[in-house]
Amino acid sequence: MSEEARMPQAVLVAAFEGWNDACQAATNVVRYLVGRYESREIRHISCDGYYDYQVARPMICHAAGYANLIWPQTTFYQIVLDDTHQLFAQIAPEPNYRWRSYCSESLAIAEELDVHQIVTLGSMFSDCPHTRPLPLSVSDGTCQCEGDKEYNGPVGIPTVLDVAAADQGFAHASMWVSIPQYLGSDECAAGTMRLLEALGKRIGFDFDMGDLPAKSDHWKAQASVLVRCNDQLADYVNHLEHDYDLKQQAAAQASLGAPQAEQLVKEAEDFLRNMDQ
């Protein structure tokens, strides 16, 4: 067993910049953990062959009078949470080429570190209000643990890695948070918090949220100011809130088997149908 994997039930958390990372909510989970807890870089995957440098461009950095090129790459971290909990984390720009080979190389490192479980993170823009808990979808390939339906459609590297992990026999989970699409691309601490809470629940650990709650409140306050200054946007958000609340009420009633559930579901369907007209 490698030195980095002495603690039992090691978990690898993976997040990727780009299409799968609305408002950096997913990759900021890894950045937050690396900055908050004892961590160190332990592995890398070379950029060569995986990136289109006109899309994921190298960066130049000047230090001590010398120019250094920083190429896109994959970095693996060991993060020690306490005496009995640790994580491994993988962060990278989404590769442009050879996804199968990239996932094989990633999973080979996971095996080398004696990883037991792989958790992929993602964030996406969606029609949801900032005034309610951000929608969260958590699945492990056998059940939809949270969220109201399975996704069908185009996928990014987190989903490909998740499927590859399942094929190789790893315990695995995929966690996605939805971000209000009307708020643009600024960082969303509320989305990062939702993913951290879900990850903590998954591994049985309460993360120190640090300044994330304050940043989340600031994000919501800024969003509320934006909505108050735009009547059309305010009306749109009101529709989203009404839709969200109806779905929550229907889900609560359905869980009790009450006859009112059918009526609430019908109201939600009628409301959505009217929005499309």
Side-chain angles (χ1 to χ4, degrees), residues 12-16 30 88-91 118-122 158 161:
L12 172 65
V13 179
F16 300 88
V30 175
F88 296 109
Q90 174 180 3
I91 187 171
I118 294 176
V119 179
T120 57
L121 306 179
L161 180 60

Side-chain angles (χ1 to χ4, degrees), residues 229-248:
C229 295
N230 186 320
D231 292 340
Q232 185 175 2
L233 180 57
D235 184 60
Y236 171 65
V237 173
N238 285 336
H239 282 298
L240 293 179
E241 292 172 337
H242 185 58
D243 177 32
Y244 182 97
D245 293 342
L246 280 177
K247 287 182 177 179
Q248 291 298 110

Side-chain angles (χ1 to χ4, degrees), residues 32-33 36-37 81 196 205-213:
Y32 179 81
L33 292 174
R36 194 73 183 179
Y37 296 94
L81 305 176
L196 269 175
F205 185 81
D206 291 327
F207 291 111
D208 179 359
M209 294 296 173
D211 60 354
L212 285 178

Side-chain angles (χ1 to χ4, degrees), residues 5-136:
R6 289 179 178 174
M7 298 183 184
Q9 303 296 301
V11 176
L12 172 65
V13 179
F16 300 88
E17 300 168 357
W19 188 68
N20 322 273
D21 191 30
C23 294
Q24 302 179 57
T27 53
N28 275 347
V29 170
V30 175
R31 295 186 186 98
Y32 179 81
L33 292 174
V34 167
R36 194 73 183 179
Y37 296 94
E38 179 185 344
S39 62
R40 62 189 180 103
E41 296 184 20
I42 54 173
R43 299 288 189 280
H44 297 93
I45 294 178
S46 171
C47 56
D48 291 340
Y50 291 126
Y51 290 102
D52 177 349
Y53 296 134
Q54 291 182 324
V55 177
R57 291 183 179 273
M59 305 289 289
I60 192 165
C61 177
H62 290 86
Y66 293 93
N68 298 287
L69 281 175
I70 302 174
W71 296 87
Q73 70 172 1
T74 301
T75 303
F76 290 81
Y77 292 93
Q78 180 190 30
I79 304 170
V80 178
L81 305 176
D82 61 20
D83 291 341
T84 58
H85 293 85
Q86 76 167 350
L87 287 173
F88 296 109
Q90 174 180 3
I91 187 171
E94 182 178 54
N96 303 109
Y97 307 119
R98 302 173 57 225
W99 283 13
R100 291 187 181 92
S101 296
Y102 180 86
C103 289
S104 295
E105 194 167 350
S106 297
L107 294 177
I109 292 174
E111 289 183 346
E112 179 186 348
L113 298 173
D114 297 317
V115 164
H116 166 74
Q117 179 179 182
I118 294 176
V119 179
T120 57
L121 306 179
S123 53
M124 58 186 172
F125 289 113
S126 182
D127 293 323
C128 58
H130 70 279
T131 53
R132 303 291 187 270
L134 297 180
L136 182 73

Side-chain angles (χ1 to χ4, degrees), residues 207-227:
F207 291 111
D208 179 359
M209 294 296 173
D211 60 354
L212 285 178
K215 288 183 176 180
S216 178
D217 289 342
H218 181 67
W219 173 81
K220 292 177 183 178
Q222 286 186 314
S224 295
V225 170
L226 177 66
V227 170

